[in-house]
């Protein structure tokens, strides 16, 4: 039967705490590396996401049509009024 001294018990506790700290640090490092180099999770598109994308596309098309209409309409009106004012249209 072996006798354990206080120094042996403290040494064992110190070794256990070091091992615990090493495992915690290695777990933290592996989590960080996993978060950096892991592929991001792909989220499934729901019908609401598709609806929002459709609304965005329709909104951009409406703005484009409005912009073109303003430009071409103003050019046509300018030509019309210049002809009617100066050439008696």
């Amino acid at each position: 039967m072996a006798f354990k001294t206080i120094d042996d018990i403290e040494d064992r506790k110190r070794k256990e705490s070091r091992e615990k700290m090493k495992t915690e640090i290695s777990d933290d490092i592996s989590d960080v590396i996993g978060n950096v180099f892991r592929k991001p999770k792909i989220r499934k598109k729901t019908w609401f996401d598709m609806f929002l994308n459709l609304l965005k596309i329709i909104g951009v098309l409406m703005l484009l049509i409005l912009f073109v209409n303003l430009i071409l309409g103003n050019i046509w009106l300018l030509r019309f009024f210049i002809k009617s004012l100066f050439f008696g249209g």
Side-chain angles (χ1 to χ4, degrees):
M1 184 168 156
F3 292 104
K4 292 185 180 178
T5 63
I6 292 179
D7 292 335
D8 293 336
I9 294 172
E10 288 177 357
D11 189 37
R12 186 173 51 91
K13 284 182 182 179
R14 187 171 36 85
K15 285 181 182 178
E16 286 177 0
S17 67
R18 284 185 56 131
E19 288 298 321
K20 184 179 177 184
M21 190 181 337
K22 284 181 187 178
T23 56
E24 288 175 356
I25 290 172
S26 64
D27 288 342
D28 291 342
I29 290 173
S30 65
D31 285 342
V32 169
I33 290 174
N35 288 336
V36 170
F37 293 110
R38 189 177 338 150
K39 290 182 181 178
K41 293 181 180 178
I42 297 174
R43 195 177 73 157
K44 291 184 179 180
K45 288 191 175 186
T46 61
W47 65 272
F48 187 70
D49 293 333
M50 288 186 242
F51 181 71
L52 285 179
N53 284 339
L54 183 66
L55 282 179
K56 288 177 190 176
I57 292 170
I58 290 173
V60 168
L61 287 176
M62 297 272 283
L63 287 175
L64 183 67
I65 290 171
L66 180 71
F67 181 71
V68 168
N69 189 18
L70 286 175
I71 297 298
L72 294 179
N74 287 338
I75 291 172
W76 179 81
L77 281 174
L78 185 64
R79 283 181 52 205
F80 176 75
F81 287 125
I82 287 175
K83 281 184 182 178
S84 66
L85 286 175
F86 295 112
F87 300 115

